[in-house]
Amino acid sequence: MTRNPYLSDTCHTLKPLVPIDTLYLIQWVKKILQEYLYLVKDKVVDMKFLKFEYKITIFYLLAGGLWILFSDKILLILINDRTVLSEFQTYKGWFYVVVTAIILYFFIRKHLNKRRDLERKLQEHQNHLEKIVKIRTVELESTIKHLKETQSHLVQSEKMASLGLLTAGVAHEINNPLNYIMGSYSGLKLVLKKQLDEDEKLNKLLKNLKIGVDKAAGIVKGLNQFSRDQESFDETCEIHSILDNCLVMLNSQLNGLIKIERDYAEALPPCIGNVGKLHQVFINILTNSIQAINTAGKIKISTKTINNSILIEIADTGCGISKEDLPKIFDPFFTTKDPGKGTGLGLAITYNIIKMHNGQLDFTSELTSGTNAKIILPIK
Amino acid sequence: MKKFKILYVDDEFINLELFEISLGIKYHVFTAHNGIAGLQVVEENPDIKVVISDMKMPIMNGLEFLRKLCTKHSEISCFLLTGYGLTPEINEAIREGLILDCMSKPFEMELIDKEIQRVLNK
Ligand SMILES: Nc1ncnc2c1ncn2[C@@H]1O[C@H](COP(=O)(O)OP(=O)(O)O)[C@@H](O)[C@H]1O
Ligand SMILES: [Mg+2]
């Protein structure tokens, strides 16, 4: 008989109760267990810590081993009849297979259910994380947009501030000499009273002098309106005079080729807001219209009252805006113009100013036929 | 007929000169080129009825000058001229009654004449 290395000497001396293969198996299981226990000896030795595959193997081996060891003996004790015994022995194998299958089924199912639970929880957690990321992203995007707007506002307001200082300075400097001319005109009229009644030419000369001074004074007044840095939104704003002021300021850009058509409502009520900022609104929109018209064209300005609001429409016969560009025109820094000509800030600022007046700004446009800007301002 | 006395204060000599030429026909015009000189003129001629002052001047601006003037001579009617348009400060002065009106430069002599007439006829 070969010596089994796993059996103690006493074991060898004893007559084996079971076939030697079974003993091998038991020793092997014991060894695995021992190895394992050695590994986990610091921890509480508990079945819970065993890996699933170990558990299943151990169970399978134990059940199989015990069955092989004891099933015949138990049958022998219970049944004496030889024919019944052999019949039972054929079913014995089936019985074993079914019972182990059922036990293993529940065992594996329990284990898998745990895993499925875990997976589901993981998935939920992941979804939750994704949601958080999405929310954060939206927040970030709006912050960035806000920053961009603020930046554009700062750029624009700095430009406006320096422009304001300049125009205010220039306006005053021009006003003084204008005042001399106006004073001289009055003086001339008094001194030349007698000649004036007789001389038609002199009359004309003086009249034209007066017209010139008035016109210059009008421009300076418009500049003053545009550049004043009032921050309050409670001023009375006469839309028609604001529009006219803007047209005076833009007159030099019209080149005589762009026709301005006014369709003003009679007795348009004033609205409450910021006069200087409303000047900026119309300057921006009108400048765009002028720039959109290549050579010759028309800009039609109409005003109306509808349901307690003022509707101002500015329609040009310019190049129009493409469908793709139309949703972007209020974005800060969106421009289709050459650098130097466009900053892309005009309409972004305009939109903000209209918003501050609780108004509305809408653009409709058709490539080739032109653009229509609609501004609605509440009367009170 | 004795002419009414009016005072015009402005730091620009050309304006003073032109004012005198145009309105000197109807009124006895005094001029001063700053607030302090203006106050002195009124001290010497307490029968001045109307004072017209420019807003932007060195030493004292128009409102400061008129305020000082009115603490002693509240019976004088005052007008302000400005090249800058109305400011909240000026609006406040009109509301208070310190000045009767504010006219923007460049101004027409006829307009000033009319305003003065209105005050004197009262
Ligand atoms: N009346 C118009 N006709 C054609 N395009 C226009 C008109 N108004 C605005 N746009 C388009 O919208 C863009 C943004 O306008 P805006 O914000 O004023 O910036 P900018 O004029 O500096 O380019 C312009 O570059 C132009 O493409
Ligand atoms: Mg623009």
Side-chain angles (χ1 to χ4, degrees), chain A residues 284 287-288 291 337 346-347:
Chain A
N284 285 337
T287 304
N288 283 345
Q291 288 174 344
K337 294 167 194 168
L347 290 185

Side-chain angles (χ1 to χ4, degrees), chain A residues 176-186 209 213, chain B residues 18:
Chain A
N176 267 323
L178 281 182
N179 206 39
Y180 305 163
I181 302 174
M182 192 75 109
S184 304
Y185 161 80
S186 300
L209 183 76
V213 180
Chain B
L18 291 168

Side-chain angles (χ1 to χ4, degrees), chain A residues 288-289 291-292 316 319-321 329 334-337 342-347 371:
Chain A
N288 283 345
S289 286
Q291 288 174 344
D316 64 60
C319 61
I321 307 167
I329 56 170
F334 174 78
T335 180
T336 56
K337 294 167 194 168
T343 58
L345 289 177
L347 290 185
T371 305

Side-chain angles (χ1 to χ4, degrees), chain A residues 169-199:
Chain A
V170 168
H172 193 250
E173 288 316 305
I174 292 176
N175 256 341
N176 267 323
L178 281 182
N179 206 39
Y180 305 163
I181 302 174
M182 192 75 109
S184 304
Y185 161 80
S186 300
L188 274 176
K189 230 170 67 172
L190 281 173
V191 175
L192 299 176
K193 212 170 165 75
K194 265 191 211 124
Q195 285 106 305
L196 271 175
D197 291 338
E198 294 151 15
D199 194 337

Side-chain angles (χ1 to χ4, degrees), chain A residues 60-232:
Chain A
Y60 186 75
L61 288 174
L62 274 178
L66 287 173
W67 188 254
I68 290 165
L69 281 179
F70 299 111
S71 60
D72 279 338
K73 288 209 170 74
I74 291 164
L75 272 181
L76 270 175
I77 294 165
L78 291 176
I79 303 154
N80 290 326
D81 195 330
R82 268 203 164 274
T83 47
V84 180
L85 191 69
S86 75
E87 210 172 283
F88 261 88
Q89 262 168 343
T90 45
Y91 290 122
K92 190 186 75 178
W94 282 110
F95 177 74
Y96 166 75
V97 168
V98 171
V99 169
T100 42
I102 290 171
I103 291 172
L104 282 177
Y105 165 76
F106 281 110
F107 196 52
I108 293 172
R109 193 179 74 161
K110 197 179 150 206
H111 176 77
L112 287 182
N113 276 349
K114 253 195 229 158
R115 297 208 48 156
R116 284 182 197 128
D117 258 15
L118 220 74
E119 252 165 45
R120 213 194 56 240
K121 268 186 200 150
L122 255 173
Q123 188 64 43
E124 271 171 17
H125 194 64
Q126 195 179 344
N127 289 346
H128 183 64
L129 275 178
E130 266 169 24
K131 226 189 262 166
I132 289 179
V133 169
K134 250 182 219 155
I135 294 171
R136 291 280 185 282
T137 314
V138 170
E139 280 174 5
L140 259 178
E141 269 165 8
S142 82
T143 314
I144 288 172
K145 200 170 152 231
H146 185 73
L147 262 176
K148 255 188 161 177
E149 271 170 18
T150 317
Q151 185 194 15
S152 66
H153 233 106
L154 280 176
V155 171
Q156 180 80 356
S157 50
E158 188 174 354
K159 262 171 49 182
M160 280 299 156
S162 41
L163 187 68
L165 273 178
L166 188 74
T167 49
V170 168
H172 193 250
E173 288 316 305
I174 292 176
N175 256 341
N176 267 323
L178 281 182
N179 206 39
Y180 305 163
I181 302 174
M182 192 75 109
S184 304
Y185 161 80
S186 300
L188 274 176
K189 230 170 67 172
L190 281 173
V191 175
L192 299 176
K193 212 170 165 75
K194 265 191 211 124
Q195 285 106 305
L196 271 175
D197 291 338
E198 294 151 15
D199 194 337
E200 181 69 17
K201 252 190 206 155
L202 197 64
N203 231 325
K204 250 188 201 153
L205 286 173
L206 266 186
K207 214 189 315 79
N208 288 337
L209 183 76
K210 176 73 176 19
I211 291 172
V213 180
D214 278 346
K215 222 168 189 171
I219 293 168
V220 170
K221 211 179 240 165
L223 281 176
N224 267 337
Q225 292 284 329
F226 180 62
S227 63
R228 66 219 214 121
D229 58 47
Q230 286 277 356
E231 280 306 321
S232 61

